[in-house]
Amino acid sequence: VDFLFSAPLLENTAHGEPQKEDYQTVQLLGLILELLSFCVEHHTYHIKNCILNKDLLRRILVLMKSTHKFLVLCALRFMRKLIALKDEFYNRYIIKGNLFAPVVDAFVQNNGRYNLLDSAIIEMFEFIKLEDIKTLCSHVVENYGKCLDDICYVQTFKSLKSRYDQHQDKLKDRERNALEGVPSILRNSRYRRDQRQMEDEEEMWFNEDDEFDDNEAIVPTATDILAKKLDTDLDSITKMVKKETEARMNNNSSPKTTVLNNSAGAGQTAPSPTTTENKSALFKRGLVDYEGDSDEDEEETAGEASKRPRLS
Protein backbone atom coordinates (compact mmCIF):
# COMPACT_ATOMS: atom_id res chain seq x y z
CA VAL A 1 0.00 0.00 0.00
CA ASP A 2 2.75 2.44 0.97
CA PHE A 3 4.70 2.00 -2.28
CA LEU A 4 2.30 0.89 -5.00
CA PHE A 5 -0.79 2.83 -4.02
CA SER A 6 0.25 5.98 -2.24
CA ALA A 7 3.36 6.88 -4.27
CA PRO A 8 1.58 7.99 -7.51
CA LEU A 9 -1.13 9.71 -5.47
CA LEU A 10 1.30 11.63 -3.27
CA GLU A 11 3.40 12.60 -6.26
CA ASN A 12 0.47 14.03 -8.20
CA THR A 13 -0.92 16.03 -5.22
CA ALA A 14 2.30 17.42 -3.74
CA HIS A 15 1.57 21.14 -4.38
CA GLY A 16 -2.09 21.37 -3.42
CA GLU A 17 -3.40 20.87 -6.96
CA PRO A 18 -3.43 17.94 -9.41
CA GLN A 19 -0.16 17.98 -11.34
CA LYS A 20 -1.18 15.74 -14.26
CA GLU A 21 -4.59 15.67 -15.86
CA ASP A 22 -3.93 13.26 -18.75
CA TYR A 23 -6.25 10.35 -19.23
CA GLN A 24 -3.75 7.66 -18.24
CA THR A 25 -2.84 9.35 -14.93
CA VAL A 26 -6.46 10.03 -14.10
CA GLN A 27 -7.39 6.38 -14.73
CA LEU A 28 -4.54 5.20 -12.51
CA LEU A 29 -5.54 7.53 -9.67
CA GLY A 30 -9.16 6.38 -9.97
CA LEU A 31 -8.10 2.73 -9.53
CA ILE A 32 -5.91 3.62 -6.56
CA LEU A 33 -8.83 5.38 -4.87
CA GLU A 34 -11.07 2.34 -5.45
CA LEU A 35 -8.52 0.05 -3.81
CA LEU A 36 -8.00 2.41 -0.87
CA SER A 37 -11.76 2.59 -0.33
CA PHE A 38 -11.86 -1.21 -0.22
CA CYS A 39 -9.05 -1.22 2.37
CA VAL A 40 -10.89 1.30 4.54
CA GLU A 41 -13.95 -0.94 4.58
CA HIS A 42 -12.24 -4.30 5.07
CA HIS A 43 -8.79 -3.61 6.58
CA THR A 44 -9.65 -0.96 9.12
CA TYR A 45 -6.70 -1.40 11.48
CA HIS A 46 -3.84 -1.31 8.96
CA ILE A 47 -5.28 1.47 6.82
CA LYS A 48 -5.66 3.74 9.86
CA ASN A 49 -1.90 3.92 10.34
CA CYS A 50 -1.36 4.63 6.65
CA ILE A 51 -3.95 7.44 6.58
CA LEU A 52 -2.57 9.03 9.73
CA ASN A 53 1.12 8.81 8.89
CA LYS A 54 0.83 10.04 5.31
CA ASP A 55 -2.10 12.44 5.87
CA LEU A 56 -3.71 10.51 3.05
CA LEU A 57 -7.22 11.98 3.15
CA ARG A 58 -5.93 15.53 2.71
CA ARG A 59 -3.96 14.45 -0.37
CA ILE A 60 -6.97 12.62 -1.82
CA LEU A 61 -9.25 15.65 -1.35
CA VAL A 62 -6.87 17.69 -3.51
CA LEU A 63 -8.36 15.72 -6.41
CA MET A 64 -11.68 17.53 -5.77
CA LYS A 65 -10.17 20.31 -7.89
CA SER A 66 -9.70 18.04 -10.88
CA THR A 67 -11.46 18.78 -14.13
CA HIS A 68 -12.46 15.13 -14.45
CA LYS A 69 -15.73 14.68 -12.57
CA PHE A 70 -15.42 10.95 -12.11
CA LEU A 71 -12.08 11.51 -10.26
CA VAL A 72 -13.78 14.11 -8.06
CA LEU A 73 -16.50 11.58 -7.25
CA CYS A 74 -13.89 8.91 -6.44
CA ALA A 75 -12.25 11.23 -3.92
CA LEU A 76 -15.65 12.07 -2.40
CA ARG A 77 -16.53 8.37 -2.23
CA PHE A 78 -13.36 7.68 -0.25
CA MET A 79 -14.30 10.31 2.35
CA ARG A 80 -17.86 8.92 2.46
CA LYS A 81 -16.42 5.48 3.32
CA LEU A 82 -14.54 6.97 6.27
CA ILE A 83 -17.63 8.77 7.60
CA ALA A 84 -19.79 5.64 7.17
CA LEU A 85 -17.63 3.79 9.68
CA LYS A 86 -18.71 6.30 12.40
CA ASP A 87 -15.30 5.89 13.95
CA GLU A 88 -14.29 8.71 16.28
CA PHE A 89 -10.69 8.25 15.18
CA TYR A 90 -11.59 9.35 11.66
CA ASN A 91 -14.02 12.01 12.94
CA ARG A 92 -11.34 13.67 15.04
CA TYR A 93 -8.91 13.43 12.14
CA ILE A 94 -11.37 15.19 9.82
CA ILE A 95 -12.18 17.90 12.37
CA LYS A 96 -8.56 18.56 13.28
CA GLY A 97 -7.50 18.86 9.65
CA ASN A 98 -10.59 20.90 8.66
CA LEU A 99 -11.07 18.46 5.79
CA PHE A 100 -14.64 19.48 4.97
CA ALA A 101 -13.32 22.66 3.36
CA PRO A 102 -12.56 21.11 -0.09
CA VAL A 103 -15.99 19.43 -0.13
CA VAL A 104 -17.86 22.64 0.74
CA ASP A 105 -15.83 24.59 -1.84
CA ALA A 106 -16.73 22.08 -4.56
CA PHE A 107 -20.37 22.23 -3.50
CA VAL A 108 -20.44 26.04 -3.64
CA GLN A 109 -18.67 26.11 -7.03
CA ASN A 110 -21.23 23.68 -8.42
CA ASN A 111 -23.71 26.51 -7.83
CA GLY A 112 -26.76 24.36 -7.28
CA ARG A 113 -26.56 22.51 -10.59
CA TYR A 114 -28.56 19.31 -10.46
CA ASN A 115 -25.87 16.70 -11.14
CA LEU A 116 -24.25 13.69 -9.54
CA LEU A 117 -21.72 15.73 -7.56
CA ASP A 118 -24.41 17.88 -5.98
CA SER A 119 -26.46 14.83 -4.98
CA ALA A 120 -23.43 12.99 -3.59
CA ILE A 121 -22.41 15.90 -1.35
CA ILE A 122 -25.98 16.43 -0.08
CA GLU A 123 -26.29 12.70 0.63
CA MET A 124 -23.11 12.78 2.73
CA PHE A 125 -24.45 15.60 4.92
CA GLU A 126 -27.82 13.88 5.10
CA PHE A 127 -26.10 10.75 6.42
CA ILE A 128 -24.39 12.83 9.15
CA LYS A 129 -27.77 14.23 10.18
CA LEU A 130 -29.67 10.91 10.14
CA GLU A 131 -26.96 8.99 12.01
CA ASP A 132 -26.66 11.87 14.47
CA ILE A 133 -22.86 12.09 14.39
CA LYS A 134 -22.64 14.90 16.94
CA THR A 135 -18.99 15.83 16.48
CA LEU A 136 -19.24 16.22 12.71
CA CYS A 137 -22.61 17.94 12.94
CA SER A 138 -21.26 20.56 15.36
CA HIS A 139 -18.13 21.06 13.26
CA VAL A 140 -20.06 21.61 10.01
CA VAL A 141 -22.59 24.02 11.53
CA GLU A 142 -20.03 26.04 13.48
CA ASN A 143 -17.54 26.39 10.63
CA TYR A 144 -19.64 26.27 7.44
CA GLY A 145 -23.08 27.34 8.65
CA LYS A 146 -22.98 30.73 6.94
CA CYS A 147 -22.16 29.22 3.56
CA LEU A 148 -24.77 26.48 3.81
CA ASP A 149 -27.64 28.59 5.18
CA ASP A 150 -28.26 30.00 1.71
CA ILE A 151 -29.00 26.52 0.31
CA CYS A 152 -32.80 26.46 0.31
CA TYR A 153 -33.72 23.92 -2.40
CA VAL A 154 -33.12 21.08 0.10
CA GLN A 155 -33.92 20.91 3.81
CA THR A 156 -30.74 19.03 4.73
CA PHE A 157 -28.76 21.95 6.04
CA LYS A 158 -31.68 23.51 7.92
CA SER A 159 -32.35 20.17 9.57
CA LEU A 160 -28.67 19.90 10.38
CA LYS A 161 -28.81 23.33 12.04
CA SER A 162 -31.90 22.41 14.07
CA ARG A 163 -30.22 19.18 15.18
CA TYR A 164 -27.23 21.21 16.32
CA ASP A 165 -29.51 23.55 18.31
CA GLN A 166 -31.12 20.55 19.99
CA HIS A 167 -27.71 19.26 21.04
CA GLN A 168 -26.81 22.62 22.51
CA ASP A 169 -30.09 22.82 24.43
CA LYS A 170 -29.51 19.38 25.89
CA LEU A 171 -26.04 20.36 26.99
CA LYS A 172 -27.39 23.50 28.68
CA ASP A 173 -30.14 21.52 30.43
CA ARG A 174 -27.59 18.98 31.62
CA GLU A 175 -25.36 21.70 33.04
CA ARG A 176 -28.35 23.38 34.69
CA ASN A 177 -29.47 20.12 36.29
CA ALA A 178 -25.95 19.47 37.49
CA LEU A 179 -25.84 22.90 39.11
CA GLU A 180 -29.26 22.44 40.71
CA GLY A 181 -28.05 19.22 42.31
CA VAL A 182 -25.31 21.14 44.15
CA PRO A 183 -26.30 23.23 47.22
CA SER A 184 -26.49 26.93 46.49
CA ILE A 185 -23.90 27.79 49.13
CA LEU A 186 -21.37 25.61 47.29
CA ARG A 187 -22.40 26.87 43.84
CA ASN A 188 -20.96 30.33 44.50
CA SER A 189 -17.30 30.49 45.40
CA ARG A 190 -17.89 33.56 47.60
CA TYR A 191 -19.65 31.45 50.24
CA ARG A 192 -17.06 28.71 50.38
CA ARG A 193 -15.35 28.46 53.72
CA ASP A 194 -11.64 27.99 53.95
CA GLN A 195 -10.29 25.26 56.20
CA ARG A 196 -7.75 27.67 57.67
CA GLN A 197 -10.56 29.95 58.80
CA MET A 198 -11.98 27.19 60.98
CA GLU A 199 -8.60 26.53 62.52
CA ASP A 200 -8.11 30.23 63.33
CA GLU A 201 -11.48 30.45 65.04
CA GLU A 202 -10.77 27.39 67.15
CA GLU A 203 -7.40 28.81 68.18
CA MET A 204 -9.04 32.10 69.20
CA TRP A 205 -11.57 30.20 71.31
CA PHE A 206 -8.84 28.33 73.17
CA ASN A 207 -6.88 31.53 73.71
CA GLU A 208 -9.92 33.19 75.26
CA ASP A 209 -10.19 30.35 77.78
CA ASP A 210 -6.62 30.97 78.94
CA GLU A 211 -7.45 34.55 79.94
CA PHE A 212 -9.54 33.40 82.92
CA ASP A 213 -7.88 32.89 86.30
CA ASP A 214 -7.38 29.45 87.69
CA ASN A 215 -9.69 30.14 90.66
CA GLU A 216 -12.40 31.65 88.46
CA ALA A 217 -14.87 29.20 87.02
CA ILE A 218 -16.73 29.92 83.86
CA VAL A 219 -19.77 27.79 84.77
CA PRO A 220 -20.75 27.30 88.47
CA THR A 221 -20.43 23.72 89.62
CA ALA A 222 -22.91 21.73 91.68
CA THR A 223 -20.80 21.99 94.84
CA ASP A 224 -20.76 25.79 94.59
CA ILE A 225 -24.53 25.91 94.27
CA LEU A 226 -24.97 23.55 97.26
CA ALA A 227 -22.55 25.55 99.38
CA LYS A 228 -24.40 28.80 98.66
CA LYS A 229 -27.72 27.17 99.57
CA LEU A 230 -26.32 25.80 102.82
CA ASP A 231 -24.97 29.22 103.74
CA THR A 232 -28.36 30.85 103.20
CA ASP A 233 -30.12 28.08 105.15
CA LEU A 234 -27.71 28.40 108.08
CA ASP A 235 -28.22 32.15 108.18
CA SER A 236 -31.99 31.75 108.24
CA ILE A 237 -31.75 29.07 110.95
CA THR A 238 -29.50 31.16 113.18
CA LYS A 239 -31.92 34.06 112.87
CA MET A 240 -34.82 31.80 113.85
CA VAL A 241 -32.88 30.43 116.84
CA LYS A 242 -32.06 33.94 118.05
CA LYS A 243 -35.69 34.99 117.81
CA GLU A 244 -36.84 31.87 119.68
CA THR A 245 -34.29 32.32 122.50
CA GLU A 246 -35.27 35.96 122.88
CA ALA A 247 -38.93 34.99 123.04
CA ARG A 248 -38.22 32.28 125.62
CA MET A 249 -36.16 34.67 127.72
CA ASN A 250 -39.05 37.10 127.70
CA ASN A 251 -41.45 34.33 128.65
CA ASN A 252 -39.21 33.19 131.54
CA SER A 253 -39.04 36.71 132.95
CA SER A 254 -42.89 36.92 133.02
CA PRO A 255 -44.94 34.66 135.42
CA LYS A 256 -46.65 32.84 132.57
CA THR A 257 -46.93 29.08 132.37
CA THR A 258 -47.78 26.81 129.57
CA VAL A 259 -50.41 24.12 129.80
CA LEU A 260 -49.49 20.68 128.58
CA ASN A 261 -52.28 18.54 127.19
CA ASN A 262 -51.52 15.26 128.90
CA SER A 263 -53.79 12.32 129.35
CA ALA A 264 -52.70 11.86 132.98
CA GLY A 265 -53.25 15.32 134.32
CA ALA A 266 -55.30 17.93 132.54
CA GLY A 267 -55.14 21.44 133.91
CA GLN A 268 -51.71 21.04 135.50
CA THR A 269 -49.04 23.43 134.36
CA ALA A 270 -45.29 23.14 134.14
CA PRO A 271 -42.57 25.21 132.62
CA SER A 272 -41.20 24.07 129.26
CA PRO A 273 -37.42 24.10 129.60
CA THR A 274 -35.32 25.06 126.59
CA THR A 275 -32.72 22.39 126.03
CA THR A 276 -29.93 21.86 123.57
CA GLU A 277 -31.85 18.91 122.15
CA ASN A 278 -34.66 21.21 120.94
CA LYS A 279 -32.12 23.50 119.32
CA SER A 280 -30.43 20.59 117.54
CA ALA A 281 -33.79 19.27 116.35
CA LEU A 282 -34.76 22.71 115.11
CA PHE A 283 -31.39 23.01 113.37
CA LYS A 284 -31.92 19.65 111.67
CA ARG A 285 -35.37 20.65 110.47
CA GLY A 286 -33.95 23.76 108.83
CA LEU A 287 -31.36 21.89 106.80
CA VAL A 288 -32.01 20.58 103.31
CA ASP A 289 -33.97 17.35 103.31
CA TYR A 290 -32.64 14.57 101.10
CA GLU A 291 -34.26 11.40 99.99
CA GLY A 292 -34.20 8.69 102.59
CA ASP A 293 -33.73 11.08 105.58
CA SER A 294 -37.43 11.50 106.46
CA ASP A 295 -37.59 8.20 108.31
CA GLU A 296 -34.53 9.01 110.41
CA ASP A 297 -36.01 12.40 111.38
CA GLU A 298 -39.27 10.77 112.42
CA GLU A 299 -37.39 8.24 114.56
CA GLU A 300 -35.34 10.99 116.21
CA THR A 301 -38.43 13.09 116.97
CA ALA A 302 -40.20 10.01 118.34
CA GLY A 303 -37.21 9.23 120.56
CA GLU A 304 -37.08 12.80 121.88
CA ALA A 305 -40.79 12.72 122.64
CA SER A 306 -40.31 9.51 124.67
CA LYS A 307 -37.43 11.06 126.63
CA ARG A 308 -39.49 14.08 127.76
CA PRO A 309 -40.71 13.79 131.36
CA ARG A 310 -44.38 13.24 131.78
CA LEU A 311 -46.07 15.50 134.22
CA SER A 312 -48.50 13.90 136.59
Side-chain angles (χ1 to χ4, degrees):
V1 172
D2 290 341
F3 180 75
L4 294 177
F5 292 164
S6 63
L9 179 65
L10 296 175
E11 183 181 357
N12 197 32
T13 58
H15 302 286
E17 290 183 358
Q19 299 297 316
K20 296 179 180 180
E21 289 287 314
D22 57 288
Y23 184 76
Q24 184 179 0
T25 304
V26 170
Q27 288 290 333
L28 177 62
L29 292 176
L31 293 174
I32 290 173
L33 290 177
E34 290 291 335
L35 290 174
L36 288 175
S37 300
F38 178 83
C39 292
V40 166
E41 188 174 359
H42 298 282
H43 302 282
T44 56
Y45 178 75
H46 298 286
I47 197 64
K48 275 183 181 180
N49 296 327
C50 180
I51 291 173
L52 182 62
N53 293 331
K54 303 224 179 252
D55 197 8
L56 199 57
L57 180 60
R58 184 185 300 277
R59 293 296 187 89
I60 291 172
L61 291 176
V62 172
L63 299 177
M64 297 285 293
K65 299 177 182 179
S66 176
T67 57
H68 301 275
K69 297 300 180 184
F70 81 94
L71 188 61
V72 175
L73 291 173
C74 288
L76 185 63
R77 188 183 303 115
F78 179 79
M79 187 176 183
R80 176 66 173 79
K81 290 286 184 180
L82 295 180
I83 295 174
L85 296 176
K86 294 186 288 187
D87 190 346
E88 284 299 318
F89 172 81
Y90 290 122
N91 294 339
R92 289 193 297 268
Y93 171 66
I94 292 170
I95 292 170
K96 186 177 180 180
N98 196 19
L99 298 180
F100 274 108
V103 178
V104 175
D105 290 340
F107 183 71
V108 172
Q109 289 177 3
N110 191 53
N111 199 17
R113 289 192 292 270
Y114 186 68
N115 52 19
L116 190 58
L117 178 62
D118 187 78
S119 299
I121 293 174
I122 291 173
E123 191 275 333
M124 186 174 66
F125 287 114
E126 187 73 22
F127 177 82
I128 293 172
K129 183 197 73 174
L130 293 176
E131 295 297 327
D132 196 14
I133 305 175
K134 297 181 178 61
T135 54
L136 296 181
C137 177
S138 301
H139 175 72
V140 170
V141 173
E142 290 174 358
N143 293 276
Y144 308 103
K146 294 180 180 180
C147 298
L148 300 175
D149 287 340
D150 297 333
I151 308 301
C152 299
Y153 60 90
V154 289
Q155 299 297 320
T156 301
F157 302 106
K158 290 183 179 179
S159 301
L160 201 66
K161 180 68 167 57
S162 63
R163 183 65 60 88
Y164 171 77
D165 294 335
Q166 290 176 4
H167 293 329
Q168 296 300 317
D169 293 337
K170 288 180 181 179
L171 290 175
K172 291 179 181 179
D173 293 339
R174 192 178 301 172
E175 292 177 357
R176 192 183 299 111
N177 294 331
L179 289 175
E180 289 177 357
V182 180
S184 60
I185 195 169
L186 298 178
R187 201 178 303 158
N188 197 341
S189 59
R190 294 182 299 170
Y191 297 100
R192 291 182 182 175
R193 191 169 186 177
D194 192 4
Q195 295 179 356
R196 295 181 179 178
Q197 184 179 359
M198 179 65 74
E199 294 176 358
D200 294 339
E201 291 179 358
E202 291 178 355
E203 187 175 358
M204 290 174 62
W205 187 80
F206 285 115
N207 291 331
E208 289 176 358
D209 292 342
D210 296 338
E211 293 177 359
F212 294 99
D213 296 334
D214 295 336
N215 296 328
E216 185 179 0
I218 299 173
V219 179
T221 59
T223 55
D224 295 336
I225 296 172
L226 183 60
K228 289 180 181 180
K229 184 170 180 60
L230 289 174
D231 291 338
T232 54
D233 292 339
L234 287 174
D235 293 337
S236 61
I237 289 169
T238 52
K239 289 179 182 179
M240 291 173 62
V241 170
K242 287 181 181 180
K243 289 180 181 180
E244 187 176 357
T245 52
E246 289 176 357
R248 287 183 182 277
M249 289 175 66
N250 293 330
N251 290 333
N252 290 332
S253 62
S254 63
K256 292 182 180 180
T257 58
T258 57
V259 179
L260 297 176
N261 293 327
N262 247 352
S263 61
Q268 295 180 359
T269 61
S272 59
T274 303
T275 60
T276 58
E277 295 177 356
N278 294 332
K279 292 181 179 180
S280 62
L282 183 61
F283 181 78
K284 289 179 180 179
R285 290 192 188 95
L287 293 177
V288 180
D289 294 335
Y290 297 97
E291 295 181 358
D293 294 341
S294 60
D295 296 336
E296 296 178 359
D297 294 339
E298 291 177 357
E299 291 178 358
E300 290 179 358
T301 52
E304 291 176 359
S306 63
K307 290 179 181 180
R308 293 177 183 174
R310 300 182 63 183
L311 300 177
S312 58

